Amino acid sequence: MITFFICLIALVASYFLYGAFIDRLVGIDPKADVPSNKLYDGVDYIPLPRWRIFLIQLLNIAGTGPIFGAVLGACYGPVAFLWITLGGIFLGAMHDYISGVISLRNDGKSLPEIIGKYLGDGMHKLTLIIIPLLMILVGAVFIVTPSQILADKSDMPYLFWVGVIIVYYFVATVLPIDKIIGKIYPIFGAALIIMAIMLFGVLLIGDYTIPELVSLDNMHFNAKSLPIVPTLFISIACGAISGFHATQSPLMARCVTNESQTRPIFFGAMISESIIALIWAAIAMAFFGGIEQLNDYMQAHNSNAGVVVSLICDTTLGRIGSILALLGVVIAPITSGDTAFRSARLIIADMLHYDQKPIYKRLIVSLPLFAIGIGIAFVDFDTIWRYFAWSNQALSVITLWMITAWLTQRNSKYTFIALLPAIFMTYVCSSFLFVSGQFLGLGATASAYAYGAGLTAIISGLLMYKIRGYAKRGV
C-alpha cells in the first residue's frame, strides 16, 4: 500500500503547496468584483455559498469519469496511480483552476469566448463548433448508460427511462441554477465523497493487497492494442485531466462571490476527483486479488466497468453499497449530462449575445440542442464513446494552450507550468490518431509515435509563434 499512500499524500499536499503557488501566480484578489455581483440575473449569475459551489463543481466534472475511467485504467496496473497523481496535480488541477479564474475575470464567459480572446478568431470559430457538439455528445452518452441500467433494474422499458431523463435534462437546463442544481447536486456530490471514504475504509480494514509500483509495464489484457502511451492518458481522463471540466467552470464562475473561493472550488474539486479515482483504481486492483484477476474479470465481461462497480459496492458495502453503486452509475452521469446541455445553452447564448433571463429565450436556444442530443442517443453507444474520449482530451489541449497564452500575456516567468502540459497532451492526442485503431490504426510502432511527434512539433510551433506574436502586440 506504500505506492497508494504516497500518491494520496501527494494529492492532498498539492492543494496546500501547488494550489497556493497558483494563487500567487494568478494574483488572487479578494477585493475584486465578481460576475455574480455585477451581472446578477437570477438565472445563471447567482451568488452561492462556497461549500455549495464546490460540491456542484465536483459533481459536474465527475460523471462516471473518476469511477469507470479509474477501473478501466486499473487494468494497466499501478502505473495508473502515477498518471492519476501527477496528471491530477500538474495537469488537471492547474487546468481547472486557471481556466476557472480566466472565465471569472472575463465575466463568466463560456470556454469558446475566452479561447477566442487569447488564441484568436480562428480558434474561436473552431471551438464554437466543437465544444457545443461535445457537450451534446456528453449529454447523449449520459442519456444512454443510465437508461440501460435503470431498464435492467426495473420493469420499465429503456425508452421510458430515456424519456424521463430527457425531461429532467430539459427542466434542469432551463430553470435558474439555484432551483434544482443548487439544491440537490450538493447532496449527490457529498454522497460521491462518502462512497469514496467508505471504500477507503474497506481498503484499510479489509483483507486486501494493493499492488505496488515496481515497473512501468503494461499489464492490460489487451496491451498490444492498448499501449500505455497514449491510451492510458485517454482512458483515465476525469481523474487526471479532462477538457470537459473547463466547459463546466464558467457555470460556477458565475456563482462565485469572492476570488478567494476559486482554489477550493476549482483546484480543490479536481484534487478531490483525483483522490476518488485513486481509491477506485486501488479497490479495482485489490478486490479481485490482483491485476491479472481484474483483467480476467474485465475480459469475461466485455470490459464493462459498471459491472465491476456494482459488484464491488454490493460485496463490500452491502445494501448501502447497492445504493451508492446506483448513484455512481446512474445519478452521477445524469447530473453531468444536464450541466453539459446547460453549458451548450450558455455557449450558444454567449456567441449570439442572446439574453438568457427571459425563459422563452432559454427555450429557443435549448430546444434545437435537445433535438440533436435525442438523435445522437439512438446511435450505437460504442461509436459515440470511442470518439468522445479522444475529443474530450483534445479539448483539454486547446484549453492548456489558452492558459499558456494567458500567462504569456501576463509576462509570467512560470508560463512553462501550462506550456509543458500543453505540449505533452498535444502529443498524447496526436500519437493517438496514428496508434489507435479508431483512427489510422498503425499500432504502437516507431513510425506511429514519430508521426505523432512530428504533428505535435508542427502544432506546438505554430501556436507558440502565434501566442508570442499576440503578446508582443499586446493583444
Side-chain angles (χ1 to χ4, degrees):
M1 297 181 76
I2 296 173
T3 303
F4 172 77
F5 276 109
I6 289 174
C7 292
L8 181 61
I9 292 168
L11 285 166
V12 174
S14 73
Y15 176 82
F16 301 99
L17 301 175
Y18 195 50
F21 166 75
I22 297 179
D23 273 354
R24 297 189 296 272
L25 178 66
V26 301
I28 293 299
D29 181 6
K31 297 180 180 179
D33 202 1
V34 291
S36 66
N37 177 49
K38 58 184 177 181
L39 297 173
Y40 175 85
D41 64 0
V43 178
D44 299 305
Y45 291 90
I46 297 178
L48 293 174
R50 182 179 65 182
W51 67 270
R52 194 180 294 272
I53 302 175
F54 165 78
L55 289 171
I56 296 171
Q57 174 73 1
L58 175 61
L59 199 62
N60 284 356
I61 66 176
T64 56
I67 302 174
F68 284 22
V71 171
L72 292 170
C75 293
Y76 289 84
V79 68
F81 293 152
L82 202 60
W83 169 234
I84 290 170
T85 304
L86 297 180
I89 295 170
F90 296 109
L91 280 79
M94 179 276 297
H95 165 280
D96 290 13
Y97 186 12
I98 299 183
S99 65
V101 170
I102 294 172
S103 176
L104 180 70
R105 292 181 179 168
N106 283 275
D107 293 334
K109 286 288 196 307
S110 54
L111 188 58
E113 301 303 311
I114 56 177
I115 285 174
K117 180 174 180 178
Y118 297 103
L119 290 180
D121 189 55
M123 196 66 78
H124 179 223
K125 291 177 180 176
L126 177 65
T127 52
L128 279 174
I129 298 170
I130 292 175
I131 297 178
L133 286 176
L134 179 61
M135 294 302 94
I136 295 170
L137 200 60
V138 170
V141 165
F142 290 154
I143 290 172
V144 175
T145 48
S147 297
Q148 290 173 336
I149 293 165
L150 288 168
D152 290 340
K153 291 182 177 291
S154 70
D155 296 328
M156 305 306 294
Y158 170 74
L159 288 179
F160 170 80
W161 291 112
V162 168
V164 170
I165 292 172
I166 288 171
V167 169
Y168 167 74
Y169 275 6
F170 190 79
V171 173
T173 299
V174 172
L175 286 181
I177 198 165
D178 61 334
K179 299 304 180 187
I180 294 180
I181 293 174
K183 285 186 169 62
I184 65 172
Y185 280 31
I187 298 172
F188 293 139
L192 196 64
I193 295 172
I194 292 169
M195 175 168 55
I197 292 172
M198 292 175 70
L199 288 172
F200 177 65
V202 167
L203 285 170
L204 291 181
I205 65 175
D207 186 20
Y208 296 108
T209 301
I210 302 174
E212 302 293 353
L213 179 65
V214 295
S215 75
L216 298 179
D217 291 344
N218 187 349
M219 300 182 183
H220 200 286
F221 66 83
N222 194 13
K224 185 176 180 180
S225 299
L226 301 174
I228 289 174
V229 180
T231 317
L232 175 63
F233 308 117
I234 300 289
S235 299
I236 301 181
C238 289
I241 181 171
S242 166
F244 174 68
H245 293 188
T247 68
Q248 301 304 287
S249 294
L251 300 182
M252 297 299 96
R254 300 181 186 209
C255 300
V256 167
T257 58
N258 192 293
E259 278 199 7
S260 63
Q261 298 176 337
T262 52
R263 189 188 351 161
I265 290 169
F266 299 119
F267 196 99
M270 180 61 230
I271 291 299
S272 298
E273 186 177 36
S274 292
I275 292 172
I276 292 170
L278 187 73
I279 291 170
W280 270 104
I283 194 76
M285 293 181 205
F287 179 81
F288 295 95
I291 300 156
E292 183 179 350
Q293 291 84 348
L294 166 64
N295 274 294
D296 289 342
Y297 190 87
M298 289 290 281
Q299 194 170 11
H301 291 81
N302 199 28
S303 294
N304 188 335
V307 174
V308 173
V309 171
S310 293
L311 177 63
I312 290 174
C313 286
D314 291 350
T315 304
T316 61
L317 303 177
R319 179 173 292 183
I320 295 175
S322 298
I323 296 171
L324 292 174
L326 191 67
L327 170 73
V329 299
V330 175
I331 302 298
I334 290 175
T335 53
S336 288
D338 67 15
T339 53
F341 276 113
R342 191 179 190 93
S343 294
R345 171 176 69 79
L346 293 175
I347 288 168
I348 300 299
D350 284 351
M351 175 183 69
L352 300 174
H353 304 289
Y354 198 56
D355 180 25
Q356 291 293 278
K357 190 170 183 179
I359 191 168
Y360 78 90
K361 291 188 175 182
R362 281 173 260 156
L363 292 171
I364 289 172
V365 177
S366 299
L367 286 171
L369 299 175
F370 276 96
I372 298 170
I374 292 168
I376 293 175
F378 290 96
V379 176
D380 178 64
F381 176 77
D382 288 340
T383 301
I384 298 173
W385 186 258
R386 281 201 303 268
Y387 295 101
F388 161 71
W390 179 84
S391 58
N392 177 48
Q393 292 301 58
L395 179 56
S396 76
V397 170
I398 298 173
T399 305
L400 287 168
W401 281 109
M402 181 267 292
I403 294 169
T404 301
W406 185 76
L407 290 172
T408 301
Q409 290 186 26
R410 288 170 62 87
N411 295 315
S412 173
K413 61 181 180 180
Y414 296 107
T415 303
F416 68 87
I417 73 161
L419 176 61
L420 295 180
I423 294 172
F424 173 75
M425 289 305 297
T426 301
Y427 179 71
V428 166
C429 291
S430 296
S431 60
F432 193 81
L433 289 174
F434 296 100
V435 171
S436 175
Q438 296 173 214
F439 294 97
L440 298 178
L442 300 181
T445 60
S447 59
Y449 290 121
Y451 293 146
L455 182 57
T456 299
I458 293 170
I459 293 171
S460 300
L462 289 173
L463 284 170
M464 289 169 69
Y465 176 79
K466 187 172 188 176
I467 288 168
R468 287 174 181 171
Y470 277 17
K472 287 179 180 178
R473 295 196 302 271
V475 176

